[in-house]
Every structure is written in C-alpha cells, then in structure tokens.
Amino acid sequence: MADGAPRVERDGDVVRITMTRAGKRNALSREHLTQLLAAVTEAGESDAAGIVLGAEGPVFSAGHDFADVAGASLPGVRSLLQLCTELMQTVQDVPQVVVARVHALATAAGCQLVASCDLAVAAESAGFAAPGGKGGWFCHTPMVAIARNVGRKRAMELALTGDVIDAATALDWGLVNRVVPDAELDAAVDELVERATRGSRASKGWGKQTMYAQLDRPERDAYTTAIEVMAAASQLPGAREGMASFLEKRKPVWTD
C-alpha cells in the first residue's frame, strides 16, 4: 500500500474505505483523490452491499491540498477540480449505499465529500465548514454538493461566513443523518448501514441512481460552471496569498 493510501477492508457485505493521511489532515491531494476514486470504483464493481467512508486522525478531511494548487496553472487547477468532481459523482453513481463516518472536522472539499455520500453519521465532536468564504479562494465546487443538502439560506451562511457549524447544527440543517456520542459512532454507522442495505441490492442500486437523477438533475451543469469559476479564481491574488500564507504558516496580507 502506498504511503498515505486509504485503507480498504471488506467486512462481510460492507467495504470500509478509511483515509489515513492523518499527518496531512487527510487533505485531498491529487494523489489521494486518485486513490479514493480507485477504491470507490473497485468497491462499486464488487458484490458488496454498502460502503463506509471514514478517516483516521484529528480531522476527517481538510479539503484540497493547497500544495497542489498554489502556483499551479489554470489548466492544472481545472483538472484537479474535475478529478475531485469525478470522485464525488462516483460516490453517487456506484450502486452501493455509501455512508460517511464523520469523527471530526470536515472542511471545504472534505465537507463536500460528506455531502456527496448517500448518508452520513457524525460524532458529537465533529464540525463542518466551507472556509473559503473567509479566505481568498471561495468554495465554489464544495458548495454544489453542500447546498443540495442544506438549502439556499443555510448554504449562503456556510459559504459567506466560512464558519464551522457543530454536528448538532449539521443535523438540523440536513447535512448529516445522525449525531451520536463519539464512543457510539461505529455502532451507529453499522446500524444505519445494516438498515439501509436491506432488500434487493439490484433494486436499491437502481433506486439510488434514479433518486439522484431526479433530485439533482441540474447538478452536472452546476459542476461545469463551478469548476470553471473555481479554477479561474485560483489565479486571483487573494487565492494565491491565502494559499501561500497557509503553506508558509503566517498571517495573510490581503490586497483585494
């Protein structure tokens, strides 16, 4: 297994995919996105009934790895965002029920990943944010998935403030299905997976895919627009300064 590659385990009828880049806050680098896409695709082609997507370490996922974006060209950032979008859409395209196991903070594309899963269970200590709104690179593509979970006004609050909402608020807003004490997270995930995977797998797989087709019909068009805008926005001075200050561990100096 490559360094930092997700751990993939078959547990009965469930495939568990666990991000293991704890030292990097499970940031979604190009390499890690590629690994996750391969893992989800392989699980989707198996006879498993469900997929649990989780993570190790103090953060569920901090979103895009700025080291991939800072100084990158417009085509380079666009292709990165297209890869990320492919992962998000594959999570929804596979016939299995995909449940996010959120034990800690999920931000930006990490929050997008939670929003893209069919179901989500969060520990009480988890948090959720789209922090680009208070920085230099707005969370255009993450908000495509997040907004479809929480509705317009709440999406705008998340996007514009960039503030973290706690797990209880995420439950109230519709971003997650359950919030449980940290010690009960695994049991709650297993219980929901067991109930959500009952019945005909073929029927459920077709049903899941049709649900997305009728509920989110504009989503692909929205992603096309968001990719272009977010890729272009990565070239702005504010975005470059925000990423540079993050990587250099200093306070940003905004010029715009």
Side-chain angles (χ1 to χ4, degrees), residues 15-142:
V15 174
R16 300 182 188 275
I17 301 173
T18 305
M19 293 181 281
T20 63
R21 301 185 76 214
K24 294 290 187 179
R25 298 164 61 89
N26 293 311
L28 299 176
S29 65
R30 185 182 292 274
E31 179 185 21
H32 202 50
L33 286 168
T34 302
Q35 293 166 340
L36 286 170
L37 177 59
V40 173
T41 300
E42 183 175 355
E45 293 171 349
S46 75
D47 63 352
I51 299 171
V52 173
L53 184 57
E56 294 178 342
V59 173
F60 175 80
S61 176
H64 285 296
D65 192 333
F66 283 171
D68 281 348
V69 185
S73 67
L74 174 59
V77 180
R78 181 187 294 119
S79 70
L80 177 68
L81 296 174
Q82 288 171 334
L83 173 61
C84 184
T85 298
E86 184 179 0
L87 169 63
M88 304 301 166
Q89 293 181 333
T90 299
V91 165
Q92 297 186 348
D93 287 344
V94 296
Q96 289 84 0
V97 176
V98 182
V99 180
R101 175 195 179 276
V102 191
H103 73 291
L105 183 64
T107 68
C111 189
Q112 178 187 8
L113 186 56
V114 175
S116 297
C117 289
D118 305 321
L119 302 168
V121 181
E124 288 178 338
S125 60
F128 304 84
K134 61 180 179 181
W137 195 31
F138 200 83
C139 288
H140 297 281
T141 49

Side-chain angles (χ1 to χ4, degrees), residues 137-162:
W137 195 31
F138 200 83
C139 288
H140 297 281
T141 49
M143 291 311 304
V144 171
I146 295 169
R148 282 164 169 74
N149 280 237
V150 304
R152 292 191 178 195
K153 287 293 189 288
R154 289 164 171 171
M156 280 294 189
E157 182 173 343
L158 278 167
L160 297 175
T161 68

Side-chain angles (χ1 to χ4, degrees), residues 7 48 50 106 177:
R7 186 174 63 251
N177 299 86

